[in-house]
Amino acid sequence: MDRTFVMVKPDGVARGLIGEVISRLEGKGLKLVAARFERLTEKKVLEQYREHIEKPFFPSLRHFIESGPCFLMVWEGRDAVRVVRRMVGATNPGDAEPGTIRGDLAMDTGRNVIHASDSPASAEREIAIHFNPGEIVTYKRADESALYE
Ligand code: IDP
Ligand code: MG
């Protein structure tokens, strides 16, 4: 099973969308293995978005992510990184397909509700930024034998 890092950004928190996001991922069959509500420090935002530091949108992205609490999660499942990215949809919500989280719930690239790791390597890196190994919980979902062949 793979793990991926998912974060409801401050806009999603402010709009009351934490439950909707969790509900979609749970309903799909992914398993929530860690979660925390946190206002990210500058240090963590720089680590999280390090590949974007030189980009023109970075100052506004950083300011926005630091502006309010985020809901941080680790989700587990078969091919979890790819599956969650497809459920999240395109970065620009105007291009995101209906049925995706951004396609259904957002209007603006700078307010696109959710972050999800884009590769297994990023997932491993991002999970380590936000969670200690001891905060990631293993357990069985009762429906696992019905979810996987
Ligand atoms: P992703 O979240 O779909 O992986 P990235 O390209 O990794 O997209 O960008 C990270 C975040 O930075 C985006 O989710 C979005 O909030 C913000 N962002 C990316 N490109 C732009 C832009 O052109 N204008 C404003 N914000 C942007
Ligand atoms: Mg990204």
Side-chain angles (χ1 to χ4, degrees):
M1 290 295 161
D2 299 324
R3 285 176 177 167
T4 190
F5 174 70
V6 178
M7 176 173 104
V8 180
K9 297 181 186 181
D11 53 328
V13 173
R15 293 177 54 208
L17 295 174
I18 295 172
E20 168 84 25
V21 167
I22 290 177
S23 180
R24 286 178 179 230
L25 300 177
E26 271 188 323
K28 174 73 171 166
L30 291 148
K31 179 158 70 177
L32 184 62
V33 294
R36 191 172 64 254
F37 198 51
E38 182 177 313
R39 187 158 175 161
L40 296 185
T41 59
E42 176 188 349
K43 180 168 176 283
K44 282 194 186 170
V45 174
L46 295 178
E47 286 178 44
Q48 170 66 43
Y49 286 111
R50 70 172 186 192
E51 80 260 40
H52 298 306
I53 286 174
E54 301 302 327
K55 307 234 173 100
F57 62 82
F58 185 73
S60 65
L61 171 65
R62 191 193 124 184
H63 181 257
F64 179 63
I65 298 295
E66 288 173 23
S67 71
C70 293
F71 193 71
L72 319 173
M73 296 167 278
V74 180
W75 288 86
E76 191 176 275
R78 180 183 294 160
D79 210 6
V81 173
R82 197 177 75 90
V83 166
V84 172
R85 283 290 286 195
R86 286 171 55 82
M87 292 177 73
V88 164
T91 306
N92 178 349
D95 297 330
E97 296 290 336
T100 64
I101 292 168
R102 289 169 174 166
D104 290 348
L105 301 171
M107 293 296 287
D108 189 332
T109 303
R111 299 287 185 273
N112 61 7
V113 175
I114 184 166
H115 167 86
S117 307
D118 63 5
S119 68
S122 313
E124 194 179 333
R125 191 181 77 81
E126 292 171 1
I127 289 168
I129 293 169
H130 300 287
F131 292 97
N132 300 318
E135 292 177 291
I136 299 171
V137 181
T138 15
Y139 64 99
K140 245 184 129 48
R141 268 179 66 141
D143 57 3
E144 271 170 36
S145 63
L147 280 167
Y148 295 102
E149 190 173 27

